[in-house]
Amino acid sequence: MSDATHANGDRASDAAVGPPRESRAALFLRFLRFGLLAWGGPVAQIAMIRDELVERERWISRERFNRVLAVYQALPGPEAHELCVYFGMLARGRIGALLAGLGFMLPGFALMFGLSALYVSHGIDSPLATAAFRGLQAAVVALVIRALFRIGRHALTNRALWLLGALVAGAHLLGWNFLLSLALAGAAYALWQRRGAHATATLHCCVPALLLAAAAPSVPPLATLFLSGLRS
């Protein structure tokens, strides 16, 4: 089989079909199930949503999903929940967005409400509870690493993106300002694509600027819980 045939097959497999024609109740139950299975933090949640709605059911193309995810990752708020609202909007308009967001949010809200009540009334200082939570942390780390690989291999498609991703990740781990790192990484890759033949020289110029600007001290968290959550 020729390379052109393989390429055409890849494009066909990546083509979007669109959301299925399902009732509002079915849409709510679909995202309620996502909420019930949403263990492992946003990376694992996004990988789960992508696997079902993009890879298997092809609501949108992979390229469009990557663009949408990039927007939500740059905006404040939980990107997994925002993705659910987006897909709900695609399927059933504003009502679908409300139902999808509510369905995804309800299980976590109910669980946290119950655990908070249990903590206030009984506490979690027993050796059994401590051991259980440590075991959960190990499982969550494994889920996040697996999900990060599954998302990264679709989003980081060349060496320049891998380099920029590694630099921004390192800057974030060192506590440097994430917004500056994010903006400069986007600008660096835009210049890299525009320059073409001068890609390597462009990255060599932008990387020191990224490191110097990202070294600015990050804003410390605010004192109150409300303002801290609002900032996040």
Side-chain angles (χ1 to χ4, degrees), residues 43-113:
V43 176
Q45 294 163 4
I46 292 169
M48 175 183 63
I49 295 168
R50 179 193 176 104
D51 181 63
E52 179 166 327
L53 302 186
V54 179
E55 299 295 333
R56 286 191 281 164
E57 298 190 13
R58 293 185 292 168
W59 287 32
I60 58 176
S61 67
R62 296 171 183 170
E63 183 180 8
R64 184 177 177 185
F65 177 85
N66 289 338
R67 292 198 301 267
V68 172
L69 178 60
V71 172
Y72 287 142
Q73 286 177 326
L75 294 176
E79 56 265 32
H81 184 265
E82 291 165 348
L83 277 174
C84 290
V85 173
Y86 170 77
F87 280 113
M89 184 78 178
L90 286 180
R92 301 288 296 185
R94 292 186 176 89
I95 297 299
L98 177 63
L99 292 173
L102 185 64
F104 185 77
M105 178 188 68
L106 276 178
F109 171 79
L111 179 62
M112 292 308 301
F113 188 82

Side-chain angles (χ1 to χ4, degrees), residues 82-184:
E82 291 165 348
L83 277 174
C84 290
V85 173
Y86 170 77
F87 280 113
M89 184 78 178
L90 286 180
R92 301 288 296 185
R94 292 186 176 89
I95 297 299
L98 177 63
L99 292 173
L102 185 64
F104 185 77
M105 178 188 68
L106 276 178
F109 171 79
L111 179 62
M112 292 308 301
F113 188 82
L115 288 176
S116 298
L118 184 65
Y119 175 77
V120 170
S121 60
H122 299 288
I124 53 172
D125 295 330
S126 68
L128 181 61
T130 301
F133 278 109
R134 286 181 178 174
L136 286 173
Q137 288 175 344
V140 167
V141 169
L143 287 173
V144 170
I145 292 174
R146 179 173 179 270
L148 187 62
F149 172 77
R150 291 170 61 187
I151 293 176
R153 66 190 177 94
H154 293 292
L156 305 179
T157 55
N158 56 49
R159 293 180 179 178
L161 289 175
W162 278 103
L163 174 61
L164 289 172
L167 285 171
V168 175
H172 184 64
L173 289 175
L174 292 173
W176 295 347
N177 191 290
F178 176 69
L179 290 178
L180 285 175
S181 300
L182 187 68
L184 286 171

